[in-house]
Amino acid sequence: MTAQIETLALLPGEEYIELYKILKVQSMIGGGGEAKFVIGEGMVTVDGVVETRKRKKVRAGEVVAFNGESVQIVAAP
């Protein structure tokens, strides 16, 4: 059984979104400070690799996972 992967579309003109903002926007975490903490603690992955840079530029096609939830970034419609 595969887990459902949600998608998050970049806004028109955006090439990336910062990692901590994804957790916040997708309500995977309570707020920005908490998002930065869990990223710093190594609890978040990007494309299956642990990522500790809070402001990492996540681009279309990459998948962010935290606490059993995954979200794929897609290009602006």
Side-chain angles (χ1 to χ4, degrees), residues 26-42:
Q26 291 296 109
S27 299
M28 296 168 89
I29 205 84
E34 191 178 349
K36 290 176 181 178
F37 176 78
V38 298
I39 294 166
E41 291 295 305

Side-chain angles (χ1 to χ4, degrees), residues 5 19 42-53 56 58-59 61-66 69-73:
I5 297 178
L19 182 56
M43 300 169 71
V44 179
T45 63
V46 177
D47 287 343
V49 178
V50 172
E51 181 56 68
T52 57
R53 293 174 291 168
K56 188 226 184 303
V58 182
R59 301 179 188 280
E62 293 183 304
V63 176
V64 174
F66 169 69
E69 295 181 61
S70 298
V71 60
Q72 182 170 27
I73 307 307

